[in-house]
Amino acid sequence: LDLRQAQHRLRNYSKRLEKSVVESEERYRLVVDHANDAIFIVQDGAIKFPNPKAREFLGYASDELGYLSFQDLVYKEDRPWVLEQYRQLLTGKGYPYIAPFRVTNKSGDILWVDMGSVPIKWKGSVATIHFLRDITERRKLERELFQAQKMEAIGTLAGGIAHDFNNLLQVISGYLQIIFMDKSPDDPDYHALSQIDKSAHRAAELTKKLLVY
């Protein structure tokens, strides 16, 4: 009787455990399938278990991704650095976060991503799970902001130079007017002084353009 009771309890425990595992897998899949990040597993260089966001972001179906290696997706110029970071991660020397790099989707578009990676055991072998976030738009805005800041710095520099130059021109024009008071049109220096005065006026117009810029 004790043996039958033990067997019965063991069967009930196994059923509860199996049910718990199934429910846990369902919750995990629900979270992964509805995540805003692309999530996939890399094992022996191959991409496995991509979630819907990964398929949408990269433009490949699940069976297509199964034939691709992870390095095939990394933009060629970033590939050596990213693969070295990945190698260090597998050996326990790297960090779980790989700084922004570029990937190429099925359409050939170059996209910027942030990636978090964690070493795991997948079906008895070493693998890594990856969380990929599209930051292409953010990088675009950062570049636009950087360009705007550069233009603002150039504008500030040009404005400062224009003001300083305009002050110098006012001094030159002021002294010219004093000299003209003692010169008649038939004076030998009058023509040369007139040319200096005209050049000063043209320089003043140039400073106005700099200030507008």
Side-chain angles (χ1 to χ4, degrees):
L1 181 61
D2 291 340
L3 179 59
R4 288 198 298 271
Q5 287 178 342
Q7 290 174 336
H8 178 70
R9 289 176 180 174
L10 181 60
R11 284 195 297 270
N12 286 339
Y13 175 76
S14 297
K15 288 179 180 178
R16 290 196 302 270
L17 181 60
E18 183 179 352
K19 182 180 179 182
S20 176
V21 170
V22 170
E23 289 175 350
S24 178
E25 288 179 349
E26 287 177 351
R27 286 195 297 268
Y28 172 75
R29 183 174 291 276
L30 185 65
V31 171
V32 170
D33 284 352
H34 290 83
N36 288 324
D37 292 342
I39 302 174
F40 54 87
I41 290 172
V42 173
Q43 189 175 59
D44 299 325
I47 297 173
K48 302 178 180 181
F49 199 62
N51 73 339
K53 191 66 177 180
R55 299 193 295 270
E56 174 192 339
F57 177 59
L58 298 172
Y60 293 95
S62 294
D63 54 344
E64 292 177 309
L65 285 171
Y67 290 102
L68 289 175
S69 68
F70 172 63
Q71 70 174 15
D72 291 334
L73 298 175
V74 181
Y75 186 59
K76 58 183 179 181
E77 292 184 7
D78 298 344
R79 195 172 296 165
W81 178 81
V82 173
L83 293 181
E84 175 60 22
Q85 298 298 310
Y86 180 65
R87 186 191 66 79
Q88 291 187 17
L89 177 69
L90 289 177
T91 58
K93 299 177 182 178
Y95 297 97
Y97 169 74
I98 296 181
F101 63 95
R102 290 165 290 183
V103 299
T104 306
N105 65 11
K106 187 177 181 179
S107 300
D109 300 322
I110 299 172
L111 307 169
W112 280 94
V113 298
D114 272 341
M115 186 172 77
S117 305
V118 180
I120 61 170
K121 284 284 187 178
W122 176 257
K123 296 183 178 180
S125 299
V126 175
T128 47
I129 185 168
H130 300 268
F131 305 85
L132 218 64
R133 176 164 296 178
D134 182 8
I135 60 167
T136 306
E137 187 62 26
R138 191 185 84 189
R139 293 287 294 195
K140 178 183 176 183
L141 293 174
E142 286 174 350
R143 286 196 302 271
E144 290 176 354
L145 176 61
F146 180 64
Q147 185 66 19
Q149 289 173 336
K150 285 200 301 183
M151 294 304 295
E152 182 182 6
I154 292 171
T156 302
L157 177 63
I161 291 173
H163 280 294
D164 291 341
F165 193 51
N166 195 51
N167 290 337
L168 293 172
L169 288 173
Q170 287 180 359
V171 173
I172 293 171
S173 295
Y175 276 106
L176 277 171
Q177 299 309 313
I178 293 172
I179 295 172
F180 273 129
M181 292 173 64
D182 297 328
K183 298 289 183 181
S184 62
D186 57 352
D187 189 291
D189 296 329
Y190 193 88
H191 177 71
L193 292 170
S194 296
Q195 293 303 313
I196 295 173
D197 190 44
K198 288 179 181 178
S199 296
H201 283 293
R202 286 197 295 268
E205 291 297 321
L206 178 60
T207 60
K208 289 180 181 178
K209 291 180 181 179
L210 280 173
L211 287 170
V212 170
Y213 174 77

